[in-house]
Amino acid sequence: YAVGGTYQWQKTTAGGTEFTDIAGATGTSYTTPALTLANNNEQYRVVVSAVPISQASDAALLTVVTDDIKPTIAEVTSDDTFVKVNVKFSEPVTAPSATTAANFTLDGGVTVSGAALSTDGYTVTLTTSKLTDGANYVLTVNNVADRAGNAIVANTTVPFQAWIWTLGKAKYTYWTDIQGTAVADLTGNANYPNNPSGFRFLDEFYALDWVPATDTFGAVVSGWVLPATTGDYVFFCCSDDGGELWLSTDDTPANKKLIAQETGWSGSKNWTGMGGGSVVADKRSDTFANSQWPTPNTINLTAGNRYYIEYIYKEGGGGDNGGATWKLAADADPLAGTSALVGDVIGTYVPR
């Protein structure tokens, strides 16, 4: 066929002989929607046109095989919100069976208030009452059916464990293929915050070259700080490129406040300097002009309490790094290259 031709896919009704165009099917390949037994014996072909030639391919006969295999549960996982449980099935399942909360029950007094089905049909995300970190649970599933109408075996049960608190770790969540260098380029993306590209765990509150594609990504380093001493603390942030440091007034992420900001970029662990475009005073909590902390540039923390902390940053190109450190207000400023938050002053929840 001539270069630059057009494509139009066509089909017949089941057992029919007259081909009709399939709306929007004008690519070099065609993927059918979900099929049922009613589609058995349909025929498909493509018409390729390049002036002055137009030629139809041979027809392909569609045979739909009866599906009598019941869906099973491939995996059950929780997360660090402690109010979400993800149920992955062996094959796509359908609404309303998969979106009926009453078809899912948990032991231990945990209730299920909602069930949402992923676009590919494989995963149901349950909204639950709060799980206990590190606890063991059993999920029971009934009536959930696949696209052929086969229901899961009655009273299917799967055990799982809630995430557990671990010292010396921070969580790193990332989103790839996002242009720009400003935090708003990440937070304004449709995949933020609920559809990250992946996550992993760090041994300090700092990331350096942790994404498979080292350009055009955004990331969040998160966890909880545990001050050993009651007093006034100063936090420092650093990233390439723009970043924002948030600290909660308690252990609840919803209460986080913006306390420092990287407006340009800085080299790895350059806590008190900058590479380009940064306002150095904004990188530290005691001089940040736009602090949201209740006592803006004075952050007093209580020993033994947990405080949620989060650093969100956006990488455009070149080097990439992001994270935070701290000091007691009376101590000397951290030198470039010195450690981020590490050891028993930082922790997060990890999967069992």
Side-chain angles (χ1 to χ4, degrees), residues 121-151:
Y122 277 91
T123 302
V124 176
T125 299
L126 306 178
T127 300
T128 71
S129 56
K130 195 169 184 64
L131 305 177
T132 300
D133 61 280
N136 295 306
Y137 293 97
V138 176
L139 173 71
T140 302
V141 181
N142 281 289
N143 302 320
V144 176
D146 63 16
R147 291 170 175 171
N150 302 305

Side-chain angles (χ1 to χ4, degrees), residues 10 14 16 22 31 44 74 103 124 139 145 148 158-159 170 176 189 237 284 303 328 341 343:
Q10 300 177 328
I22 302 171
T31 301
Y44 291 79
N103 289 339
V124 176
L139 173 71
V158 179
T176 57
N189 187 274
C237 65
R284 53 190 299 157
L328 280 164
L341 294 161

Side-chain angles (χ1 to χ4, degrees), residues 253-273:
N255 293 330
K256 67 184 183 182
K257 311 294 182 185
L258 183 65
I259 63 167
Q261 188 173 40
E262 173 86 72
T263 53
W265 67 272
S266 297
S268 179
K269 295 183 178 178
N270 189 359
W271 305 117
T272 58

Side-chain angles (χ1 to χ4, degrees), residues 16-95:
T17 58
E18 183 176 347
F19 284 87
T20 58
D21 291 348
I22 302 171
T26 56
T28 56
S29 62
Y30 173 66
T31 301
T32 71
L35 302 171
T36 68
L37 287 175
N39 300 108
N40 192 46
N41 290 328
E42 290 178 345
Q43 295 185 78
Y44 291 79
R45 72 180 186 185
V46 63
V47 177
V48 182
S49 300
V51 177
I53 302 170
S54 182
Q55 179 67 50
S57 69
D58 292 337
L61 179 67
L62 176 68
T63 300
V64 179
V65 178
T66 302
D67 176 7
D68 58 1
I69 300 174
K70 297 178 180 292
T72 59
I73 296 175
E75 184 180 35
V76 177
T77 57
S78 61
D79 66 14
D80 52 357
T81 68
F82 294 95
V83 291
K84 299 289 184 185
V85 174
N86 295 310
V87 187
K88 185 174 182 179
F89 288 87
S90 59
E91 59 178 309
V93 292
T94 59

Side-chain angles (χ1 to χ4, degrees), residues 305-326:
N305 288 354
R306 293 182 189 177
Y307 299 87
Y308 176 77
I309 186 170
E310 174 182 292
Y311 191 65
I312 177 171
Y313 68 102
K314 180 67 188 70
E315 161 65 9
D320 64 90
N321 70 87
T325 192
W326 67 354

Side-chain angles (χ1 to χ4, degrees), residues 155-205:
N155 295 315
T156 293
T157 58
V158 179
F160 70 97
Q161 292 178 308
W163 288 28
I164 190 168
W165 173 258
T166 302
L167 281 173
K169 294 289 184 181
K171 185 182 180 185
Y172 178 77
T173 309
Y174 60 92
W175 293 257
T176 57
D177 299 321
I178 301 175
Q179 300 295 322
T181 60
V183 170
D185 295 318
L186 171 59
T187 58
N189 187 274
N191 287 324
Y192 183 88
N194 295 322
N195 295 295
S197 303
F199 69 88
R200 56 189 68 179
F201 295 94
L202 310 172
D203 292 329
E204 62 177 327
F205 197 80

